[in-house]
């Protein structure tokens, strides 16, 4: 059975860090939609040009664009599973993902819900801003991204809770402590170490 994982939780919760660990340990590709969009912007592609102002402002890229991006990516090398970081961010995206997977007889195995207070997440993002220089890690845009999360993304957790596959993660702990929780959840969901 493929291990199909989604990572949920507000910006700054540490989803990307853990998704990269999952990729290394469980041998499934990490698919970060924010990374894909930033790469498109850096390349100056058509897609990049269309989304730059939206990403820089901390709003969501339209669902149809995101769903097509994910559809193309999932068709490529995800036979053993995948870990999605940053998608789905709306209920419509979650439903589109279910339909896409359903067409090939698959379904999300587990949804990890990274929980931490907004103040802690904000401090982390401000710290990261100094290291990575992301254009959307300024104080104003960070606030906007939290608003966007609260208005459009937070309810996505309920979609997976209703299916009984939502697992809460104490995301305010150290990277290694969070990793231990993540591993336990994925092993319970049938994931096996690649190494
Ligand atoms: P992230 O790196 O996940 O924080 O994403 C950075 C930005 O990319 C977000 O603030 C959105 O503007 C955009 N983005 C990433 N994933 C999605 C998505 N699934 N739906 C809409 N916009 C997205």
């Amino acid at each position: 059975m493929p291990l199909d994982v989604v990572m949920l939780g507000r910006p700054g919760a540490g989803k990307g860090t853990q998704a990269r660990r999952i990729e290394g340990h469980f041998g499934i590709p990490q698919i970060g939609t924010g990374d894909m969009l930033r790469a498109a912007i850096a390349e100056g592609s058509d897609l990049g040009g269309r989304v730059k102002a939206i990403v820089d402002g901390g709003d969501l890229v339209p669902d149809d664009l995101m769903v097509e991006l994910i559809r193309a990516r999932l068709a490529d090398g995800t036979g053993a599973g995948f870990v999605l970081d940053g998608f789905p961010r709306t209920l419509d995206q979650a439903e589109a993902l279910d339909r896409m997977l359903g067409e090939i007889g698959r379904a999300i195995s587990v949804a990890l819900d990274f929980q931490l207070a907004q103040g802690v997440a904000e401090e982390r993002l401000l710290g990261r801003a100094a290291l990575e220089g992301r254009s959307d890690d300024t104080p104003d845009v960070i606030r906007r991204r939290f608003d966007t999360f609260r208005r459009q993304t937070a309810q996505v957790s309920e979609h997976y809770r209703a299916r009984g596959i939502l697992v809460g993660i104490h995301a305010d702990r150290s990277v290694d402590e969070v990793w231990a929780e993540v591993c336990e959840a994925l092993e319970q969901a049938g994931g096996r170490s690649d190494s």
Side-chain angles (χ1 to χ4, degrees):
M1 275 289 279
L3 182 65
D4 294 339
V5 182
V6 299
M7 311 285 264
L8 306 172
R10 58 165 46 90
K15 302 183 297 293
T17 301
Q18 299 293 331
R20 284 186 287 277
R21 284 201 177 194
I22 293 171
E23 174 175 82
H25 190 79
F26 291 94
I28 54 178
Q30 174 248 353
I31 300 173
T33 44
D35 299 336
M36 292 167 79
L37 296 172
R38 282 186 290 280
I41 293 169
E43 263 167 32
S45 69
D46 189 44
L47 171 69
R50 286 163 76 185
V51 303
K52 181 174 180 356
I54 302 173
V55 172
D56 283 351
D59 291 317
L60 292 187
V61 171
D63 287 336
D64 52 349
L65 254 181
M66 294 310 302
V67 168
E68 285 321 306
L69 193 67
I70 281 294
R71 187 190 298 283
R73 180 61 189 84
L74 291 187
D76 180 21
T78 61
F82 54 74
V83 49
L84 272 179
D85 162 22
F87 186 99
R89 259 180 158 96
T90 64
L91 275 178
D92 282 351
Q93 291 181 13
E95 284 163 8
L97 178 62
D98 287 346
R99 281 194 298 274
M100 261 185 261
L101 291 174
E103 282 165 18
I104 53 170
R106 280 164 66 168
I108 294 298
S109 319
V110 61
L112 303 179
D113 194 22
F114 282 56
Q115 292 163 347
L116 92 169
Q118 182 168 315
V120 182
E122 188 171 5
E123 271 175 39
R124 284 190 187 174
L125 290 175
L126 289 169
R128 181 174 80 182
L131 297 173
E132 293 181 11
R134 256 175 69 162
S135 57
D136 61 350
D137 277 346
T138 62
D140 281 355
V141 182
I142 287 171
R143 215 158 301 128
R144 178 74 187 169
R145 286 158 64 208
F146 285 142
D147 271 3
T148 303
F149 174 80
R150 186 173 40 76
R151 285 184 290 110
Q152 292 175 271
T153 305
Q155 63 268 33
V156 173
S157 297
E158 297 311 315
H159 177 81
Y160 296 105
R161 194 195 309 279
R163 302 256 209 86
I165 57 168
L166 189 77
V167 178
I169 299 290
H170 296 93
D172 53 347
R173 299 182 177 166
S174 73
V175 172
D176 286 339
E177 285 168 321
V178 174
W179 173 238
E181 279 190 39
V182 166
C183 269
E184 196 183 325
L186 296 191
E187 279 158 14
Q188 292 242 331
R192 275 191 228 111
S193 162
D194 196 33
S195 48

